[in-house]
Every structure is written in structure tokens, then in C-alpha cells.
Amino acid sequence: AQYGHNRYPNVVTSIELERLLSQSGPTKGKLMRASDQKVPRSVAFLQCVGSRDMKRKYCSYACCMYALKEATLIKKLQPEIEVEIFYMDLRAFSKGYYRYYQQAKEMGVRFTRSRVPVVKQDFKTGDLLITAAAEDGRLTKRSFGMLVLSVGQTPSPRFKELAECIGVKLNEASFCET
């Protein structure tokens, strides 16, 4: 709620964005804002939403890579859209993942290390106003046409029961021990 999901129409989750970018989705793969059905001039991704806080101290690892995938897809489909990813730590550690990050940068995706504490809406334009803390601690305010929340993953409440039934060990965050 602090980021405006279900309150501001141009704030979507990564899963909702995935549906919008799909050729079989409601906009036939063209990215458009819910508020006015216009193509956003800019899109911001907020990483680590719902994780890495006091309740969920872990990183679910997949969020960075699906944000990179969605950001590069936006740039491929609509290169005129400015895309920026706000992140705490970028987890691109598996085989070929760093190369994918480099490709996104080459395509014009911007990366800003910052935990975004505040999102508001400009009710005249429908744009989202983001207050971001820079690495040096200063606050900056930016405006984006659309905001994507890269939501952290959590195991289903019944997953622990299933894991016990099939003999799979879980780690402290209730994910499969690897």
C-alpha cells in the first residue's frame, strides 16, 4: 500500500506488467497506462517490495532477473520509453545473468541504487512522484508515467506441510534448502 498499488491506477506489480506485455494480454503487448490508456513516457521498477524488511529479511533472488527481463522487453517493444530500476542490491549471479544486466544497460535501462521510501501521485497527470534516497543519503524527487513493483516471493503457507510429506528440507525462510 505504501507504494500506491490498488490506490493509484498506474502502479502495477511485476505479474500485472507481465500480462500487459503479453501479446494475448488486454493491450495486445503494447504497454499502456490504466489511467488514460496512453503509452507511458517512463517506467520505474522498485525492487525488493515485500521482502528484505523486518518481516521478511531474505532476498527471494528471482525478482532482479524478472525485472531485467521485463525492462529489456519494454525497451525492445517501445524503445522511446525511459526505464529505470531502483534497487538495493542487484542479484545477477547465475550463469549468463551479468551479461543480461550489461545488455539492459546497453539498451538504455538506468540503474539507481536506492530504497524508495515514498510514492505519491500527481492527480493532474496520473504520473507517480517518487522520493528516492541516493547513496549519499540525499533525497531526490522524480516523476514516472508508470511504476512496477517487483514483489518478493514467499512460500505458500501450506508449502511447509507439503515439504514434510515428501521429505524436502527447508531453510530459515521456508524455501527449499539447496
Side-chain angles (χ1 to χ4, degrees):
Q2 80 186 74
Y3 299 119
H5 189 255
N6 288 332
R7 192 172 37 163
Y8 306 143
N10 298 324
V11 175
V12 298
T13 66
S14 49
I15 298 293
E16 292 165 342
L17 177 65
E18 192 78 30
R19 186 74 184 122
L20 289 174
L21 294 175
S22 171
Q23 291 296 321
S24 63
T27 59
K28 307 288 186 242
K30 187 170 184 178
L31 186 59
M32 293 191 296
R33 298 173 4 140
S35 66
D36 55 14
Q37 302 305 303
K38 292 181 180 175
V39 174
R41 61 175 171 58
S42 57
V43 176
F45 285 79
L46 301 188
Q47 298 305 107
C48 304
V49 174
S51 67
R52 301 183 70 180
D53 57 19
M54 295 309 288
K55 187 177 179 186
R56 293 182 189 93
K57 297 178 183 183
Y58 60 83
C59 171
S60 58
Y61 296 102
C63 315
C64 289
M65 291 314 300
Y66 70 63
L68 283 172
K69 182 193 84 144
E70 290 171 343
T72 57
L73 186 56
I74 289 170
K75 293 300 280 181
K76 283 179 186 172
L77 296 173
Q78 294 168 270
E80 72 281 3
I81 296 175
E82 294 178 30
V83 179
E84 187 164 352
I85 296 177
F86 292 86
Y87 67 98
M88 289 173 47
D89 298 306
L90 198 61
R91 305 285 172 107
F93 58 87
S94 194
K95 193 177 215 176
Y97 285 5
Y98 185 75
R99 195 169 343 136
Y100 204 65
Y101 161 71
Q102 289 297 107
Q103 178 186 4
K105 283 176 68 172
E106 290 167 9
M107 294 176 78
V109 175
R110 288 192 316 255
F111 294 86
T112 301
R113 182 184 295 270
S114 175
R115 181 83 172 196
V116 175
V118 178
V119 174
K120 297 189 181 207
Q121 179 177 274
D122 179 335
F123 288 98
K124 291 179 185 173
T125 64
D127 287 350
L128 290 312
L129 306 171
I130 293 175
T131 300
E135 286 188 65
D136 64 5
R138 289 184 297 150
L139 296 179
T140 61
K141 294 187 180 191
R142 306 272 305 283
S143 176
F144 291 90
M146 183 179 270
L147 179 63
V148 180
L149 305 178
S150 292
V151 181
Q153 300 172 346
T154 45
S156 163
R158 296 196 61 210
F159 184 66
K160 185 174 183 178
E161 178 186 333
L162 174 63
E164 286 174 5
C165 287
I166 60 174
V168 172
K169 292 182 181 177
L170 302 180
N171 63 20
E172 65 280 353
S174 297
F175 288 101
C176 293
E177 184 69 51
T178 58

